[in-house]
Amino acid sequence: MATPARFPDAYPPDGSGANLADILERVLDKGIVIAGDIRINLLDIELLTIKLRLIVASIDKAKEMGIDWWEDDPALSTGARRRELARENDELKERIAALESARSVETAESAAQQKRAASAKKEQEPTGVKKERESASAKKEQGAVADE
């Protein structure tokens, strides 16, 4: 009595062997993991360690295993690229708003300083100059009233 095989035969019983497409289909359907470490030592001093992990599987199988890093990589996904650009755009808008508000505050402070400086300059003028300026402005006002 023959016992049934636990796994299907990798090669068909007719001896034709498996072609590359069959092997690739099987690997992508089931997935394969290759792991290895490379260590370079000099006199028992570890100089370099490289840990290699390679997973070969279909996208559907990778998603079943919880692997989906390519969906968040801007270099590989247009959706991730759009999200990255939208985030960067929002950050730039916030920076522009902050700069504009700081500039408006600086402009208001500058105008107030100019008013204070002009007022201080008027107070420091000699009395004769003040009177001359006041009489000149009074004459202008009288001329304007007479013109009306």
Side-chain angles (χ1 to χ4, degrees):
M1 172 173 203
T3 59
R6 188 170 179 184
F7 297 106
D9 290 336
Y11 301 105
D14 62 358
S16 65
N19 62 22
L20 182 61
D22 293 336
I23 294 171
L24 186 60
E25 181 181 347
R26 179 170 256 177
V27 166
L28 292 177
D29 183 46
K30 301 293 181 186
I32 185 170
V33 177
I34 300 170
D37 295 339
I38 299 172
R39 290 192 179 131
I40 299 175
N41 295 333
L42 180 64
L43 300 173
D44 292 331
I45 298 171
E46 190 171 310
L47 298 176
L48 179 66
T49 300
I50 301 173
K51 295 186 177 214
L52 300 172
R53 306 296 182 258
L54 175 67
I55 298 174
V56 180
S58 67
I59 290 177
D60 295 333
K61 188 66 176 180
K63 285 184 177 181
E64 283 179 26
M65 294 186 294
I67 302 169
D68 61 354
W69 51 264
W70 62 87
E71 291 178 351
D72 296 325
D73 189 344
L76 301 174
S77 170
T78 57
R81 189 172 303 129
R82 279 190 213 110
R83 287 189 299 272
E84 178 73 19
L85 288 174
R87 183 190 58 77
E88 185 176 338
N89 194 9
D90 291 340
E91 287 177 3
L92 289 173
K93 285 179 182 178
E94 289 173 6
R95 289 179 63 191
I96 289 171
L99 289 171
E100 286 176 346
S101 66
R103 182 171 172 109
S104 65
V105 168
E106 288 175 1
T107 304
E109 288 176 355
S110 175
Q113 285 178 348
Q114 288 175 355
K115 284 183 180 180
R116 285 192 296 265
S119 174
K121 187 176 179 183
K122 285 180 184 178
E123 289 176 7
Q124 292 175 354
E125 289 179 344
T127 312
V129 175
K130 282 183 187 178
K131 286 183 179 180
E132 287 176 17
R133 192 167 12 102
E134 289 173 0
S135 65
S137 65
K139 286 179 184 177
K140 284 182 187 178
E141 287 177 11
Q142 287 175 357
V145 170
D147 290 340
E148 291 177 2

